[in-house]
C-alpha cells in the first residue's frame, strides 16, 4: 500500500528520543516526587493516577515570559528574566495512546519476545511539559524495527484484523539516517520503530559508526539531556539514564549529555538544534554550551561538515516556531550568523559592518510590530497553515530587509538579489520562498511611495504624470487607487506582508534626532500600517488581483488594429489602469474608450 512521506526524525543524530508511558487502569496514588532522584533515575509512575490528579513541579529557569501578556513576544536571550518552568509529575495518556501501548505489550507477551519497549523522541519531554504530541518513536533493545512490525501484523491477523503496510526506511548516513527504521500505522497513528544504538564519530566526518547499544548508551549519544529521557512501556516508568534530564527540564536548561564541545564537533548540527529548542521552550543555554557553540573550530565544522539543506531545515523550523526572534538572537550572539547565512562573493553594495546585528534588529522590530498590529498582517487565507506561511515569509523578509537593495553577479554576469542567494543557495530552501521574499521586498519599495501618497497629496501630480500617457488620463481623485491597484496586482495575497515590510523600513518622524523612544517608534509604525491598510480596504482593492480584463488580447488587436507583440502588451497595461480608474466600467465602455484612443492614435501617426 502506498505510504505517506516518512518521518525520519528518529534517525537524526541530533534528535533526542524520549520514552513513552503505558498506563493501566489502577488507582494507586502518586508515590514519588521528581526531586532528589539518584543518577541514573527511574520514576515508577502508577499508571492512571495522574489522569485525575496531576502533580506539578515548579523550578526556576531563565526565560523571557515572566510578566508578559499571553501571546506577546519574549525578549531576546540577553534580556531574559528568571521564571519558573512547570513540569508534570507524570504523563497523561490519551485513550488512543493507552490502546496502542497495550497492543504492543500484547505482541511482546504473546510471542515471548522479551523486548523492552521504550518510546523515544520529543513525546516524553512534551508530555511532561503538559503539551500534546503525536510523534511516537519506539526504541527496541533486541530486534529490528522491521521484525517487530512483522510480529505486530502477525498478531493482528490472529485477532482477525487487517494487516498494515510496513514502511522500511533504509539507513542513509548522508541524510543523518544512521540506522534502519520501520514505520507502520497502529490504530490510525504512525509509529516509528528503531534499535537502541551507540555512535562513534571519525575526526573529519559527522557520519558516525553505528552499533546496537544499550539504553544508557543511546541516552548519552543524544543531543540534549531534555531529549534523552525514555519511557519504558514494560515497566510503566520514565527513565532518566543521563541522571540530569529531568532536573534540566525543570530548570529550563539546554545541556548536552556529554561535554558540549566534543558533542558539537561530533555533529555540529547539534548547535542549531540546541538553539532551536532553547528558543522554542524559552529555555537557557548553559555557559559551557554557549562557549562551545562559539568555538571557532565548531563554527568551521558547522560550515564544512553539514549540508546546506540540513542547516536550512533547522533555520526553517526556527522561523516557523513560537519564538523565532530568540533563535536569531542566539545565532547572532554566538557568532554563527555568517556561517548559517553565507553571502555570495562581491556583493554590491558591500555588506555593512554589523550586518548581523542590523538584520536581527529588523526581525525583532517586525516581531514586536506584528504582535502590536495583530494577525491581520498574516491574513490572506482562511486556514492556519496559510497564515503560518505568510508569517514565515514575513519574518524572512524582515530579517533580510537591510539587504533588499544588495545584488551580486551570477555566473552569467546577471545581477541577482543577495537575498535570493541566501535563501536558495545558503539555506537550500524552495525557489518559491526566494522568489516570494524578493517580490515582497520589491513591492515594499513601491508601497513606500504609496504610503507617502496616502499620507499627503504632495507627490500626487508626480505620480499622476507617471501613470498618464497620451491615450489615458487618470482622474486626479483616482490616482491613489490606480497606483495601489497596480502594486497589489503584482504581489497579490502577500500585499499586507509587503505593506508591513515597507512600514518596517519607513523612516520614523524624529528618528534622525534620536528624540523618539522605541515605544513611540513602534506606535508610529503601527499607525502608519493601520492607516494604509484601511485606505486600501476602503478603495475596495483587497482581491483586485482576481479582476479579469474586460477585453482579451485578440479583441484589443481588432479594435486597435495592431498585429500583436509589445504594442498589445502596452494596451493591456493601459486597459488595466482604465479598469482600476473605472471600477464600475463595463465592457462596452471599455471598447468605446479604446475606439476613441484608436482615433487619437491615428491622428498622432498622421501628424508624424
Amino acid at each position: 500500500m502506498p505510504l505517506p512521506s516518512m518521518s525520519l526524525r528518529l534517525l537524526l543524530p541530533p534528535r533526542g528520543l524520549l520514552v513513552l508511558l503505558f498506563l493501566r487502569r489502577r488507582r494507586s496514588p502518586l508515590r514519588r516526587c521528581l526531586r532528589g532522584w539518584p543518577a541514573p533515575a527511574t520514576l515508577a509512575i502508577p499508571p492512571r493516577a495522574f489522569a485525575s490528579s496531576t502533580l506539578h513541579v515548579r523550578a526556576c529557569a531563565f526565560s523571557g515570559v515572566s510578566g508578559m501578556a499571553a501571546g506577546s513576544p519574549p525578549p531576546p536571550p540577553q534580556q531574559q528574566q528568571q521564571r519558573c518552568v512547570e513540569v508534570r509529575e507524570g504523563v497523561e495518556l490519551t485513550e488512543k495512546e493507552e490502546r496502542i501501548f497495550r497492543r504492543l505489550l500484547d505482541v511482546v507477551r504473546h510471542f515471548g519476545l522479551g523486548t523492552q519497549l521504550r518510546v523515544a523522541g520529543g513525546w516524553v519531554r512534551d508530555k511532561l511539559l503538559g503539551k500534546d504530541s503525536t510523534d511516537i518513536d519506539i526504541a527496541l533493545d533486541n530486534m529490528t524495527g522491521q521484525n517487530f512490525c512483522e510480529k505486530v501484523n502477525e498478531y493482528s491477523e490472529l485477532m482477525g484484523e487487517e494487516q498494515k503496510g510496513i514502511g522500511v526506511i533504509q539507513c542513509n548516513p548522508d541524510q543523518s539516517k544512521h540506522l534502519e527504521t520501520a514505520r507502520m500505522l497502529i490504530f490510525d497513528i504512525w509509529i516509528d520503530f528503531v534499535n537502541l544504538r551507540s555512535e562513534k564519530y571519525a575526526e573529519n566526518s559527522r557520519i558516525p559508526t553505528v552499533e546496537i547499544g544499550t539504553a544508557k548508551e543511546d541516552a548519552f549519544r543524544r543531543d540534549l539531556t531534555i531529549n534523552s529521557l525514555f519511557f519504558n512501556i514494560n515497566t510503566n516508568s520514565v527513565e532518566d539514564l543521563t541522571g540530569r534530564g529531568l532536573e534540566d527540564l525543570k530548570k529550563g536548561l539546554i545541556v548536552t549529555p556529554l561535554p558540549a564541545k566534543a558533542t558539537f564537533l561530533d555533529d555540529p548540527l547539534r548547535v542549531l538544534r540546541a538553539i532551536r529548542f532553547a528558543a522554542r521552550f524559552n529555555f537557557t543555554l548553559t555557559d559551557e554550551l554557549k562557549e562551545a557553540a562559539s568555538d571557532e573550530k565548531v563554527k568551521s565544522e558547522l560550515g564544512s561538515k553539514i549540508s546546506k539543506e540540513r542547516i536550512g531545515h533547522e533555520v526553517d523550523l526556527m522561523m516557523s516556531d513560537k519564538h523565532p526572534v530568540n533563535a536569531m538572537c542566539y545565532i547572532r550572539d554566538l557568532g554563527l550568523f555568517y556561517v548559517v547565512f553565507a553571502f555570495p562573493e562581491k556583493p554590491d553594495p558591500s555588506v555593512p559592518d554589523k550586518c548581523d546585528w542590523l538584520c536581527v534588529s529588523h526581525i525583532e522590530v517586525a516581531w514586536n510590530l506584528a504582535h502590536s498590529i495583530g494577525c491581520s498582517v498574516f491574513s490572506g487565507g482562511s486556514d492556519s497553515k496559510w497564515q503560518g506561511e505568510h508569517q514565515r515569509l514575513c519574518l524572512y523578509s524582515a530579517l533580510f530587509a537591510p539587504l533588499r537593495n544588495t545584488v551580486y553577479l551570477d555566473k552569467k554576469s546577471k545581477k541577482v538579489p543577495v537575498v535570493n542567494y541566501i535563501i536558495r543557495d545558503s539555506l537550500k530552501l524552495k525557489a518559491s520562498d526566494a522568489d516570494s521574499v524578493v517580490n515582497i521586498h520589491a513591492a515594499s519599495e513601491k508601497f513606500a511611495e504609496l504610503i507617502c501618497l496616502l499620507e499627503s497629496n504632495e507627490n500626487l501630480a508626480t505620480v499622476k504624470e507617471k501613470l498618464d500617457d497620451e491615450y489615458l488620463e487618470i482622474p486626479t481623485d483616482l490616482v491613489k487607487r490606480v497606483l495601489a491597484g497596480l502594486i497589489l496586482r503584482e504581489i497579490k495575497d502577500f500585499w499586507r506582508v509587503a505593506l508591513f515590510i515597507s512600514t518596517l523600513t519607513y523612516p520614523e518622524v524624529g528618528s534622525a534626532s534620536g528624540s523618539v523612544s522605541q515605544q513611540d517608534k513602534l506606535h508610529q509604525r503601527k499607525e502608519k500600517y493601520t492607516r494604509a491598510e484601511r485606505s486600501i480596504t476602503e478603495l475596495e482593492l483587497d482581491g483586485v488581483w482576481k479582476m479579469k480584463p474586460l477585453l482579451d488580447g485578440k479583441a484589443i488587436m481588432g479594435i486597435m488594429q495592431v498585429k500583436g507583440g509589445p504594442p498589445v502588451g502596452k494596451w493591456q497595461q493601459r486597459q488595466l489602469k482604465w479598469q482600476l480608474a473605472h471600477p464600475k466600467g463595463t465592457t462596452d465602455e471599455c471598447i468605446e474608450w479604446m475606439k476613441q484612443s484608436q482615433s487619437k492614435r491615428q491622428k498622432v501617426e498622421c501628424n508624424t
Side-chain angles (χ1 to χ4, degrees):
M1 62 179 288
L3 297 175
S5 57
M6 301 290 180
S7 171
L8 302 179
R9 287 170 291 186
L10 179 65
L11 290 176
L12 303 180
R15 178 177 172 79
L17 296 181
L18 307 179
V19 193
L20 290 184
L21 170 55
F22 172 59
L23 301 180
R24 288 178 296 209
R25 298 179 180 272
R26 297 202 302 248
R27 295 186 178 179
S28 304
L30 289 171
R31 299 183 182 185
R32 186 181 291 184
C33 177
L34 290 176
R35 293 184 187 279
W37 287 2
T42 299
L43 174 61
I45 302 178
R48 192 67 180 163
F50 47 73
S52 57
S53 61
T54 302
L55 179 63
H56 296 268
V57 180
R58 292 184 179 272
C60 289
F62 288 92
S63 184
V65 297
S66 177
M68 300 186 71
S72 58
Q78 66 271 21
Q79 300 176 4
Q80 289 177 348
Q81 300 175 349
Q82 197 173 38
R83 73 172 177 93
C84 287
V85 176
E86 192 174 272
V87 178
R88 294 188 175 188
E89 174 78 9
V91 178
E92 185 172 352
L93 292 182
T94 65
E95 294 292 332
K96 180 67 69 68
E97 290 164 342
E98 288 191 38
R99 189 181 177 197
I100 291 170
F101 300 152
R102 188 181 301 115
R103 168 56 59 90
L104 298 180
L105 283 178
D106 287 344
V107 171
V108 171
R109 291 163 183 159
H110 179 81
F111 293 107
L113 302 177
T115 306
Q116 291 288 309
L117 301 171
R118 292 179 170 88
V119 184
W123 190 92
V124 171
R125 177 201 64 222
D126 290 347
K127 286 285 189 175
L128 291 175
L129 291 173
K131 303 176 185 296
D132 292 330
S133 177
T134 58
D135 185 17
I136 302 177
D137 302 329
I138 296 182
L140 310 166
D141 67 338
N142 66 351
M143 63 192 309
T144 67
Q146 182 176 1
N147 288 340
F148 188 81
C149 287
E150 289 170 352
K151 289 296 182 182
V152 172
N153 265 340
E154 190 175 340
Y155 185 83
S156 297
E157 187 175 21
L158 291 174
M159 295 292 103
E161 299 172 359
E162 179 186 358
Q163 295 192 24
K164 301 296 183 181
I166 301 172
V168 178
I169 308 166
Q170 301 296 333
C171 60
N172 185 349
D174 290 336
Q175 293 296 319
S176 297
K177 304 169 187 65
H178 304 305
L179 207 61
E180 178 185 285
T181 301
R183 196 174 204 222
M184 73 181 305
L185 200 63
I186 301 178
F187 300 133
D188 300 322
I189 299 292
W190 286 102
I191 312 292
D192 287 351
F193 296 89
V194 72
N195 298 104
L196 293 169
R197 67 185 188 266
S198 64
E199 297 173 348
K200 294 181 181 179
Y201 287 84
E203 183 176 351
N204 296 318
S205 174
R206 67 175 290 266
I207 300 173
T209 300
V210 179
E211 299 175 350
I212 302 298
T214 65
K216 187 171 184 178
E217 288 174 329
D218 195 282
F220 272 95
R221 64 97 191 162
R222 297 185 179 279
D223 55 354
L224 303 171
T225 56
I226 64 170
N227 293 338
S228 67
L229 299 169
F230 286 115
F231 177 76
N232 190 312
I233 297 176
N234 303 64
T235 61
N236 301 330
S237 61
V238 174
E239 298 174 338
D240 182 12
L241 302 181
T242 67
R244 60 175 299 173
L246 285 161
E247 195 65 26
D248 290 336
L249 190 64
K250 289 187 288 181
K251 292 181 178 179
L253 294 177
I254 298 297
V255 188
T256 55
L258 298 173
K261 185 174 179 180
T263 297
F264 293 156
L265 288 176
D266 281 345
D267 185 356
L269 188 67
R270 291 176 172 178
V271 175
L272 298 184
R273 286 178 55 82
I275 290 172
R276 176 159 62 86
F277 284 113
R280 174 187 294 180
F281 298 115
N282 224 10
F283 282 7
T284 303
L285 300 176
T286 62
D287 289 340
E288 181 201 357
L289 189 147
K290 287 192 288 188
E291 183 179 351
S294 303
D295 183 86
E296 290 302 320
K297 186 174 182 181
V298 171
K299 289 193 286 187
S300 175
E301 295 285 271
L302 177 61
S304 61
K305 288 173 64 173
I306 307 300
S307 71
K308 300 296 185 185
E309 290 85 355
R310 299 288 294 152
I311 291 176
H313 179 66
E314 285 296 324
V315 171
D316 214 35
L317 290 173
M318 295 176 197
M319 295 293 269
S320 303
D321 220 328
K322 295 180 179 179
H323 304 304
V325 174
N326 276 9
M328 294 304 109
C329 286
Y330 275 130
I331 286 175
R332 175 199 65 196
D333 296 345
L334 295 173
L336 299 169
F337 188 88
Y338 299 107
V339 178
V340 173
F341 306 113
F343 286 67
E345 294 182 1
K346 299 180 181 179
D348 181 27
S350 59
V351 177
D353 292 337
K354 297 288 184 180
C355 181
D356 52 344
W357 284 84
L358 190 60
C359 289
V360 175
S361 69
H362 272 73
I363 193 175
E364 187 173 357
V365 172
W367 187 252
N368 292 331
L369 180 60
H371 278 79
S372 177
I373 293 171
C375 63
S376 69
V377 178
F378 309 123
S379 63
S382 58
D383 56 37
S384 58
K385 182 178 180 181
W386 184 281
Q387 293 184 8
E389 182 69 0
H390 275 217
Q391 175 175 320
R392 172 177 160 275
L393 292 173
C394 180
L395 292 174
Y396 276 121
S397 300
L399 179 66
F400 300 130
L403 301 168
R404 63 190 181 281
N405 294 319
T406 306
V407 299
Y408 76 102
L409 295 179
D410 65 7
K411 295 178 180 179
K412 297 180 180 179
S413 297
K414 178 184 176 182
K415 288 186 177 181
V416 179
V418 163
V419 174
N420 184 291
Y421 178 91
I422 294 174
I423 295 176
R424 295 185 67 166
D425 296 279
S426 296
L427 301 178
K428 295 293 184 181
L429 300 180
K430 295 179 295 184
S432 59
D433 288 341
D435 293 340
S436 294
V437 172
V438 169
N439 289 338
I440 288 169
H441 284 164
S444 72
E445 297 284 305
K446 296 177 182 178
F447 267 122
E449 183 180 28
L450 177 62
I451 290 173
C452 183
L453 190 63
L454 294 173
E455 295 282 325
S456 69
N457 292 323
E458 284 184 26
N459 299 323
L460 188 62
T462 303
V463 174
K464 176 176 167 54
E465 186 177 347
K466 289 180 181 178
L467 295 174
D468 287 346
D469 62 27
E470 65 268 34
Y471 305 113
L472 176 65
E473 183 175 350
I474 308 297
T476 303
D477 60 334
L478 290 168
V479 168
K480 296 178 182 179
R481 188 178 197 279
V482 173
L483 177 62
L486 292 174
I487 297 173
L488 265 64
R489 292 275 296 187
E490 291 183 11
I491 198 65
K492 299 180 181 178
D493 286 312
F494 289 102
W495 74 266
R496 283 186 173 87
V497 175
L499 174 61
F500 177 83
I501 297 299
S502 181
T503 307
L504 185 70
T505 56
Y506 202 86
E508 309 91 349
V509 177
S511 59
S513 62
S515 60
V516 181
S517 68
Q518 292 299 321
Q519 194 62 34
D520 287 339
K521 289 180 182 179
L522 182 67
H523 180 72
Q524 285 181 13
R525 289 190 174 103
K526 177 183 177 181
E527 289 299 306
K528 197 175 292 291
Y529 173 87
T530 304
R531 286 195 300 269
E533 182 192 34
R534 186 187 306 119
S535 296
I536 291 171
T537 303
E538 290 174 351
L539 290 171
E540 299 181 349
L541 289 172
D542 193 3
V544 71
W545 52 90
K546 300 175 184 177
M547 180 183 72
K548 296 181 179 180
L550 295 174
L551 301 171
D552 60 18
K554 186 176 181 180
I556 293 174
M557 289 168 62
I559 296 171
M560 302 309 299
Q561 298 179 14
V562 293
K563 296 182 179 180
V568 175
K570 289 181 180 180
W571 279 105
Q572 287 175 324
Q573 185 68 9
R574 288 190 185 104
Q575 177 187 217
L576 173 59
K577 294 179 186 177
W578 185 90
Q579 286 186 229
L580 289 169
H582 302 82
K584 305 295 185 182
T586 65
T587 302
D588 290 340
E589 289 171 338
C590 184
I591 291 173
E592 182 60 29
W593 161 69
M594 280 207 172
K595 286 181 177 179
Q596 293 175 3
S597 300
Q598 166 65 355
S599 299
K600 186 184 295 186
R601 186 173 71 89
Q602 289 175 340
K603 290 179 181 179
V604 171
E605 290 176 353
C606 288
N607 291 334
T608 55

